[in-house]
Amino acid sequence: MTRDTQLNSEKWWQTGVIYQIYPLTFADANGDGVGDLQGIIKKLDYLNDGNPNSETSLGIDAIWLSPINRSPMVDNGYDVSDYYDISDTFGTLEDFEMLLAESHQRGIRVILDLVINHTSNRHSWFLESSSSRDNPKSDWYHWQDPEPDGGVPNNWLSYFGGTGWTFNEARKQYYYHTFNKNQPDLNWGNPEVKEAIFQMIRFWLDKGVDGFRLDASSVYSKDKYYRYNPVKFDANDNNKYNNLHHLYDKNLPENHHIIREIRKIIDRYQDRVLIGETFIDSTIYESVIFYGINNDELHLPFTFEFPFSPWYPGYLQQEIAKKELVTPSGAWASYFLDNHDIPRHLSRWVECSLCTNQLGIAQAAAAILLTVRGTPILYYGQELGMVDNQDIPPEKIQDKIVVRSETEDSPESRDGARTPMQWNDSVNAGFSFGKDIEPWLPVHKNYPEVNVAKELKDRDSIFNFYRQLIKVRKNSEALRLGSWKTLIHYPYEHLAYVRETTDEKVLIIINFSYEKDFEIDEYIARENWQVLVSNVLEAGKIIDLPSTLQPFEVSVLRKE
Ligand code: GLC
């Protein structure tokens, strides 16, 4: 029995497609230039109208919303000041309840981003904690005395640049923040903090949310002695955070106890999912720990193998093969190309001179993401072939904490990948109707060409390619659950792999270049393959396996 068939039943988060929405720039219903919950509700039919044969709907199964809680928006929502309420920017709790109901009606699950490593410095907990050394919440954050010379307590750094310690006058102490100084880290060693967070988690589960994406889920626990992190021998990363071995501020054993406790809460509710960002610099091996020794931590740890791969078949295959090898028995993988923290893949993968065909890259990337074994996560606009807006003038930058940290090691603004969804060719790309309103971030200038309305009408658009792939995946047990096996041992120009269950065999062939000669290393019957989806072959046609491929061909075939 193969590992796939051991799964006792198909879970929606294993077989479905998750779609990440960045609420600030997805759809603006009230015309103030900023996205909102009513805007998302209006666009639900575009995501999934509930009709499995719809020609106008993408057909995804779940939405993951980047944070919508009340927040001063210093890190655009990743700095929560009230976990129980919705930010005015996005609407009200009633709007959220409506979004939940409208989504569920269409069979769309709703996953919330849970930012619980830190709060905003404007959260009432931090205001109280920072007011004195002896208030009831004095131990809710990581407070340490200065060194005798007044210096910071240790060498821990902020991922956003500079020291991770900021001095507080009232307490005459430093507090620690993995990210910006406006995002103080909670002290998870304090049982009261835990209980407060767990209670809030139950609140949202009781409301009916289908799961959470745990933000920065590897850095909750800190060493109780605040020991120095050793510096790496080959320390030369531009982001100095990456030059430390994070022995004492990341991935501590206690961190896993916490995730296990959260998972226990989740498991008391039916059919919910626990996803976690194992953090941007974690390796695939590190992230495997996050499944838990008995698969009792995260259902889906997010790891960054595709985002960090070059656009090269050998490299991508190596990442898939690694993931196949290391995913524990009974556990399930997930894959993504893009998210709100990194440049979009069509902007990342432009350096390759022999693969300058952008549509070809978009189709090939879509096919890989939707045919490997694991849950695919799409980032809004990816299905249109949206690219980063690299022309945002400095005065319009919104990712200010990164830019304003004024240290030479701060990462670049992430705004390029967060610009408004391109709905049509009208003003503001149809994102915001306000005539004289400037959207929160400038719309990419390619919107008259790259937009939903136009792509819906074009049979060969990247949107329609995604739509077909999602549909084919939904109707194919092999693509949802089957084993994965490559047919080319060391791929150079092409990828060819098979997904297979007892009853079904699906072959995926991808040409990364103009190279037509196509050879596979493993035996596979050449006759009688049905085209499921292809950018060159007619869907439904029965063919024999070709010995040459079209440039940038992407074909998904089922054995008859
Ligand atoms: C995660 C989020 C990122 C945010 C950071 C701090 O990495 O994905 O957007 O800035 O956590 O919350």
Side-chain angles (χ1 to χ4, degrees), residues 472-473 475-483 498-506 532 557-559:
V472 158
R473 189 177 189 278
N475 294 323
S476 161
E477 190 193 47
L479 285 179
R480 292 193 314 276
L481 298 168
S483 60
V498 171
R499 299 287 313 279
E500 188 170 6
T501 54
T502 325
D503 300 326
E504 193 189 16
K505 185 183 273 197
V506 174
L532 294 179
L557 314 167
R558 177 195 277 135
K559 186 80 189 91

Side-chain angles (χ1 to χ4, degrees), residues 75 78 118 160 179 183 213 215 277 340-341 414 418:
D75 190 9
Y78 285 92
H118 46 270
F160 287 159
F179 298 95
Q183 297 164 295
R213 175 258 190 195
D215 182 66
E277 179 202 35
H340 62 292
D341 288 329
R414 298 162 291 183
R418 298 174 174 180

Side-chain angles (χ1 to χ4, degrees), residues 319-391:
E319 295 303 313
I320 300 166
K322 260 196 247 168
K323 195 124 151 169
E324 282 288 315
L325 270 176
V326 301
T327 304
S329 174
W332 194 248
S334 65
Y335 288 92
F336 62 95
L337 300 169
D338 296 346
N339 74 18
H340 62 292
D341 288 329
I342 49 176
R344 289 177 180 270
H345 66 282
L346 294 182
S347 300
R348 294 198 305 271
W349 288 330
V350 286
E351 78 286 2
C352 168
S353 58
L354 280 177
C355 40
T356 45
N357 178 334
Q358 207 184 50
L359 181 64
I361 298 182
Q363 289 167 329
I368 296 172
L369 182 68
L370 289 157
T371 62
V372 282
R373 189 162 70 136
T375 304
I377 296 112
L378 267 58
Y379 181 55
Y380 83 98
Q382 162 181 348
E383 74 277 19
L384 306 175
M386 273 176 66
V387 292
D388 276 23
N389 187 347
Q390 278 145 355
D391 302 322

Side-chain angles (χ1 to χ4, degrees), residues 459 509 531-541 543-544 546 550 553-557:
R459 248 184 95 245
I509 302 173
V531 181
L532 294 179
V533 49
S534 169
N535 58 356
V536 293
L537 304 168
E538 194 189 317
K541 216 172 153 188
I543 59 158
D544 290 346
Q550 297 296 314
E553 172 168 349
V554 179
S555 295
V556 182
L557 314 167

